[in-house]
Amino acid sequence: MGKTVDKIVGKAALLVIDVTKGSLLPPERTPIPIFDAQTAVDNIVNVVNAARKAEIPIIFFREVHRQNLIDFGRLPPI
């Protein structure tokens, strides 16, 4: 992490897309498991903190579905 990078010229923003607590569920409880999810979350926290420190706007997106997942697509039942 010793390398620093100049800010992007223009209107930069950090997009954080669809990070939900479901990402931390064990593989048998989620249709899309993320292996080593905690490392992914730790990395996201580091990037968000760096963006805040650099005063770069952060935009969080969250995908949502109906509770019965009828709108989720073709996945095997949980």
Side-chain angles (χ1 to χ4, degrees):
M1 282 234 89
K3 181 180 177 185
T4 49
V5 179
D6 291 334
K7 286 185 184 179
I8 298 170
V9 177
K11 296 182 179 182
L14 172 65
L15 304 179
V16 180
I17 301 172
D18 204 27
V19 180
T20 63
K21 65 183 177 183
S23 302
L24 296 172
L25 292 174
E28 63 274 6
R29 294 210 35 227
T30 179
I32 305 175
I34 298 177
F35 300 97
D36 200 12
Q38 190 58 58
T39 298
V41 170
D42 294 343
N43 290 337
I44 292 165
V45 168
N46 290 337
V47 170
V48 167
N49 287 339
R52 286 181 175 145
K53 184 176 178 183
E55 298 181 1
I56 294 172
I58 305 166
I59 302 167
F60 294 89
F61 288 88
R62 180 171 171 221
E63 181 179 356
V64 294
H65 296 281
R66 295 179 183 180
Q67 189 171 5
N68 65 3
L69 298 178
I70 191 73
D71 58 343
F72 197 72
R74 295 181 177 201
L75 292 173
I78 297 174

